[in-house]
C-alpha cells in the first residue's frame, strides 16, 4: 500500500505549498464540497460554469485536510484559522489530479484490467471484477467514473488492493490515450466497436482507432482481449502482428468460444472448452450481449490463472451497476431499467432481450440516442425495423429523434394503434399507467440526457403500491 504525501504532490506536480506539513498523507480525494468527509483531500476543479477552487473555504469548513487549488489568493484569516490543514497551489488542478493518479499507479505492481468499447463497458467491468475478486482484493470503477476525472479518482482510491479493473470511456480521439497512459493496464479489453459517438468521430473506422488507443498504455508484454465476432475487431485482428491477442466469440473461431447456448426465461447457459475440458457457464441475465461479457471475463480469468470453478462463481453471482438492464418485478408488471445510456447497438440488444422475456405484452419505451450527428435519423429509423422484427406489442417513443423509430415501425407494418409518439416523459408515464396490464414487461431505454429514470421511478411507485 502506498499513500501519497504532500511532498509527492509538490515534487511530481510542481505544486506550491502555501501552508501545511510536507509529510501529511493524502488518502481520500474528493472534488465536491457537498460530499467531503473529514480529512479528505479537496481538489478544486474548474468546470464550464464554476471554478471549484473558489469553494476552498467551504471545503475547509467541511473538514478537508488538504486543498489543491489553482488561481486563488488565500487570505491571512484562512492561514491563521486552519493551521492544522494544508493548501497547495498548482497551475492546473485537473492535470494535477491526473499526475497524482499516474504516480500512485506506478507504485503498484498489480494486474490492471482496462476496459473500453462502444457497448457493454460497464457490465463487462462488473463481470470481470466479480471474477477477479474470486482471487484478488479488487478495486473497480464505480458507476460511470470512466473519464478524465473519474478514472484518476478511481486510481487514487488504491489502498491494500492487489488488482484493479477500470473502465475507459470516450467521445473523441485522444481521450482513451490519456486514460490508458494513466492507468497502464496489464490486460486490455475491447468489448466491441459500434456506432456510439459516431457523430463526433465521423466513422466506425475512427471509432476503432479511438478504442485501439488503449494499446498505447498497455504494458510491453500485456494482452489485448477482443470480441472476435465484432466485424471491425475481427478485421483488425486478422491484420495484427504486433500485439498479444486473446479472442472470444460465438460465431467466429476464437480462443474462447461459447457453444451449445441455452436461453431460458430467466438465465442463459452455454459450454466452453477450458484447459481441454468442457465446462458450463451460467449467466444470470437473459441478453445475448451478456454472453460476450462473460466470455471476456473468462478470458481475463484465464490470463490470471483463476480456477474455472471460481470463474463460474464470479459470473453467476456478479452484480450489475444500476440502470443497466436492471430488472425490477412489481406485483403487476416487470420493468427493465436500461436508461443510463443508449446507442444503436445497445438499443438493438435490449429490444432483442425484451422479446425473449416471458410476459403478457412486450412494451418498449424508447427515447432519443444522442451524439449521433448526421447519422441520427438513419440509426433511429433502423431501430423501428428492429422493434417490428422482434414482435414488440407496444412502442412508445419520447423525443424529436425518436419519432423516426415510430415512423419506421409503422412503415414496417406495425399496427398504428400500438405506436405512441410523445414529446415529454410525463406523457409516456401517463399512458403507461393507464394501459399497463398484469404480466406486461416494459423496457425503458434512452440516452442519459433524456432523464428516463423519471419514468422508471414513477412506474415503480405506481405498480409497487
Amino acid at each position: 500500500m502506498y499513500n501519497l504525501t504532500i511532498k509527492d504532490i509538490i515534487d511530481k506536480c510542481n505544486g506550491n505549498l502555501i501552508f501545511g506539513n510536507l509529510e501529511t498523507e493524502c488518502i481520500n480525494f474528493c472534488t465536491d464540497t457537498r460530499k467531503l468527509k473529514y480529512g479528505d483531500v479537496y481538489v478544486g476543479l474548474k468546470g464550464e460554469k464554476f471554478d471549484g477552487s473558489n469553494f476552498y473555504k467551504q471545503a475547509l469548513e467541511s473538514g478537508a485536510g488538504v486543498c489543491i487549488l489553482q488561481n486563488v489568493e488565500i487570505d491571512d484569516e484562512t492561514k491563521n484559522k486552519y493551521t492544522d490543514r494544508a493548501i497547495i497551489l498548482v497551475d492546473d488542478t485537473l492535470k494535477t489530479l491526473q499526475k497524482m493518479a499516474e504516480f500512485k499507479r506506478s507504485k503498484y505492481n498489480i494486474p490492471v484490467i482496462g476496459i473500453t468499447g462502444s457497448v457493454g463497458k460497464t457490465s463487462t467491468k462488473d463481470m470481470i471484477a466479480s471474477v477477479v475478486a474470486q482471487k484478488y482484493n479488487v478495486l473497480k470503477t464505480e458507476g460511470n467514473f470512466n473519464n478524465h476525472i473519474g478514472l484518476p479518482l478511481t486510481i487514487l482510491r488504491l489502498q491494500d488492493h492487489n488488482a484493479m479493473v477500470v473502465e475507459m470511456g470516450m467521445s473523441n480521439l485522444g481521450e482513451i490515450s490519456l486514460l490508458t497512459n494513466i492507468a497502464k493496464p496489464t490486460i486490455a479489453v475491447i468489448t466491441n466497436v459500434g456506432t456510439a459517438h459516431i457523430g463526433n468521430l465521423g466513422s466506425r473506422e475512427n471509432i476503432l482507432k479511438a478504442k485501439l488507443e488503449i494499446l498505447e498504455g498497455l504494458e510491453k508484454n500485456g494482452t489485448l482481449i477482443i470480441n472476435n465476432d465484432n466485424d471491425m475487431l475481427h478485421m483488425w485482428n486478422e491484420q495484427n502482428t504486433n500485439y498479444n491477442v486473446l479472442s472470444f466469440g460465438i460465431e467466429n473461431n476464437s480462443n474462447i468460444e461459447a457453444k451449445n447456448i441455452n436461453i431460458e426465461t430467466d438465465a442463459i447457459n452455454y459450454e466452453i472448452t477450458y484447459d481441454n475440458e468442457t465446462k458450463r457457464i451460467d449467466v444470470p441475465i437473459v441478453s445475448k450481449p451478456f454472453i460476450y461479457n462473460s466470455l471476456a471475463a473468462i478470458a481475463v480469468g484465464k490470463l490470471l490463472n483463476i480456477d474455472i470453478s471460481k470463474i463460474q462463481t464470479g459470473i453467476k453471482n456478479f452484480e450489475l451497476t444500476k440502470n443497466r438492464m436492471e430488472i425490477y418485478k412489481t406485483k403487476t408488471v416487470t420493468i427493465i431499467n436500461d436508461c443510463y445510456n443508449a446507442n444503436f447497438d445497445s438499443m438493438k440488444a435490449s429490444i432483442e432481450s425484451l422479446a425473449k422475456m416471458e410476459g403478457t405484452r412486450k412494451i418498449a419505451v424508447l427515447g432519443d440516442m444522442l451524439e449521433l450527428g448526421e447519422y441520427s435519423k438513419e440509426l433511429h429509423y433502423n431501430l423501428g425495423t428492429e422493434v417490428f422484427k422482434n414482435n414488440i406489442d407496444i412502442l412508445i417513443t419520447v423525443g424529436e429523434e425518436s419519432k423516426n423509430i415510430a415512423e419506421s415501425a409503422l412503415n414496417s407494418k406495425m399496427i398504428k394503434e400500438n405506436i405512441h409518439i410523445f414529446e415529454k416523459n410525463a406523457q409516456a408515464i401517463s399512458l403507461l399507467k393507464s394501459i399497463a396490464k398484469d404480466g406486461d414487461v416494459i423496457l425503458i431505454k434512452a440516452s442519459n440526457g433524456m432523464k428516463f429514470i423519471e419514468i422508471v421511478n414513477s412506474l415503480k411507485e405506481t405498480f409497487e403500491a
Side-chain angles (χ1 to χ4, degrees):
M1 183 172 72
Y2 185 89
N3 289 326
L4 296 177
T5 65
I6 288 178
K7 186 177 186 304
D8 289 329
I9 299 170
I10 299 300
D11 292 345
K12 304 298 178 182
C13 306
N14 195 29
N16 178 23
L17 182 62
I18 303 303
F19 60 86
N21 186 339
L22 286 171
E23 302 307 317
T24 297
E25 290 190 334
C26 302
I27 300 174
N28 299 311
F29 292 77
C30 184
T31 61
D32 187 339
T33 56
R34 297 166 298 181
K35 299 178 181 178
L36 266 173
K37 296 178 181 177
Y38 189 84
D40 281 359
V41 179
Y42 174 67
V43 184
L45 298 179
K46 184 176 176 60
E48 292 182 5
K49 298 180 180 179
F50 65 90
D51 188 340
S53 292
N54 293 329
F55 299 107
Y56 73 88
K57 288 186 178 182
Q58 289 95 315
L60 291 167
E61 289 169 1
S62 297
V66 179
C67 290
I68 301 175
L69 314 169
Q70 68 179 48
N71 298 326
V72 290
E73 291 285 340
I74 310 301
D75 57 60
D76 290 337
E77 180 185 355
T78 299
K79 295 176 185 178
N80 294 328
K81 183 176 180 180
Y82 296 103
T83 55
D84 59 333
R85 317 290 181 84
I87 288 183
I88 305 168
L89 292 185
V90 297
D91 292 334
D92 188 314
T93 50
L94 175 58
K95 289 182 179 179
T96 296
L97 180 73
Q98 295 164 352
K99 286 180 181 178
M100 288 190 298
E102 184 178 353
F103 178 67
K104 181 148 190 173
R105 164 67 183 96
S106 72
K107 295 296 182 179
Y108 285 75
N109 183 22
I110 61 174
V112 175
I113 299 93
I115 304 161
T116 191
S118 294
V119 182
K121 292 186 294 296
T122 300
S123 50
T124 301
K125 174 258 300 182
D126 291 333
M127 200 172 284
I128 288 174
S130 181
V131 166
V132 177
Q134 304 302 308
K135 181 177 179 180
Y136 296 88
N137 179 15
V138 179
L139 173 67
K140 73 169 185 174
T141 301
E142 296 295 339
N144 64 324
F145 268 43
N146 64 6
N147 65 6
H148 61 300
I149 297 172
L151 180 134
L153 286 172
T154 297
I155 294 173
L156 288 170
R157 288 171 46 220
L158 276 168
Q159 288 294 300
D160 58 348
H161 307 92
N162 53 12
M164 183 166 62
V165 180
V166 290
E167 179 181 337
M168 301 182 190
M170 66 93 212
S171 56
N172 282 291
L173 289 165
E175 294 177 354
I176 296 293
S177 175
L178 171 69
L179 301 180
T180 189
N181 279 296
I182 294 172
K184 294 291 193 297
T186 59
I187 298 171
V189 180
I190 303 180
T191 61
N192 45 54
V193 175
T195 57
H197 309 296
I198 196 168
N200 295 340
L201 290 158
S203 68
R204 291 185 69 217
E205 287 74 17
N206 278 342
I207 295 173
L208 172 65
K209 182 178 178 182
K211 301 303 180 186
L212 287 171
E213 288 175 2
I214 197 171
L215 295 170
E216 295 176 21
L218 183 65
E219 72 169 14
K220 186 176 181 180
N221 296 316
T223 299
L224 172 65
I225 297 171
I226 64 164
N227 177 350
N228 203 32
D229 286 351
N230 180 265
D231 57 340
M232 302 295 287
L233 290 170
H234 179 79
M235 179 176 62
W236 175 85
N237 191 34
E238 288 187 329
Q239 300 168 354
N240 164 65
T241 58
N242 297 323
Y243 297 96
N244 298 322
V245 175
L246 189 63
S247 62
F248 62 86
I250 300 172
E251 300 162 6
N252 292 322
N253 291 333
S254 305
N255 300 117
I256 298 174
E257 298 180 26
K259 301 289 187 182
N260 300 321
I261 297 170
N262 180 33
I263 300 177
E264 301 175 347
T265 57
D266 57 356
I268 295 174
N269 58 77
Y270 61 86
E271 292 178 348
I272 60 163
T273 300
Y274 193 96
D275 292 340
N276 298 318
E277 293 184 10
T278 299
K279 299 292 182 180
R280 183 154 289 278
I281 305 296
D282 294 311
V283 182
I285 295 179
V286 185
S287 178
K288 185 177 179 180
F290 282 81
I291 299 177
Y292 289 107
N293 298 348
S294 63
L295 289 170
I298 293 167
V300 171
K302 187 175 182 67
L303 288 173
L304 296 179
N305 296 313
I306 298 175
D307 186 84
I308 184 60
S309 63
K310 292 185 176 180
I311 293 175
Q312 289 169 312
T313 299
I315 292 171
K316 188 174 182 178
N317 297 329
F318 93 103
E319 294 183 4
L320 191 61
T321 296
K322 288 186 177 298
N323 301 333
R324 276 90 165 174
M325 286 301 290
E326 184 180 19
I327 297 174
Y328 188 86
K329 293 186 177 182
T330 72
K331 296 175 183 176
T332 52
V333 302
T334 297
I335 301 166
I336 305 174
N337 173 11
D338 198 13
C339 67
Y340 177 74
N341 220 338
N343 53 58
F344 178 80
D345 304 284
S346 64
M347 279 276 208
K348 180 174 180 290
S350 294
I351 292 167
E352 291 171 349
S353 297
L354 171 64
K356 290 182 174 68
M357 294 187 69
E358 285 191 349
T360 306
R361 296 179 302 177
K362 312 297 173 59
I363 302 174
V365 186
L366 307 178
D368 291 357
M369 301 178 288
L370 307 178
E371 297 183 347
L372 296 179
E374 63 183 278
Y375 298 89
S376 184
K377 181 176 181 179
E378 175 188 353
L379 291 172
H380 280 90
Y381 191 89
N382 291 344
L383 270 183
T385 305
E386 298 299 325
V387 169
F388 178 75
K389 277 170 47 180
N390 284 279
N391 298 312
I392 302 304
D393 296 293
I394 297 174
L395 169 65
I396 299 172
T397 68
V398 180
E400 190 63 30
E401 295 297 322
S402 295
K403 292 177 181 177
N404 294 296
I405 303 175
E407 180 185 349
S408 172
L410 183 61
N411 290 342
S412 298
K413 309 302 182 186
M414 186 173 180
I415 298 172
K416 183 176 182 180
E417 288 73 18
N418 292 338
I419 302 173
H420 306 271
I421 304 170
F422 295 123
E423 298 286 343
K424 299 179 188 258
N425 293 344
Q427 295 170 295
I429 291 169
S430 178
L431 177 70
L432 286 164
K433 288 180 178 179
S434 67
I435 68 170
K437 298 179 181 179
D438 285 358
D440 282 350
V441 184
I442 306 170
L443 168 67
I444 302 169
K445 186 165 181 65
S447 284
N448 194 37
M450 297 299 292
K451 299 181 180 178
F452 266 28
I453 192 64
E454 296 173 349
I455 302 176
V456 173
N457 290 338
S458 181
L459 293 184
K460 283 183 177 181
E461 291 174 5
T462 298
F463 294 107
E464 189 63 21

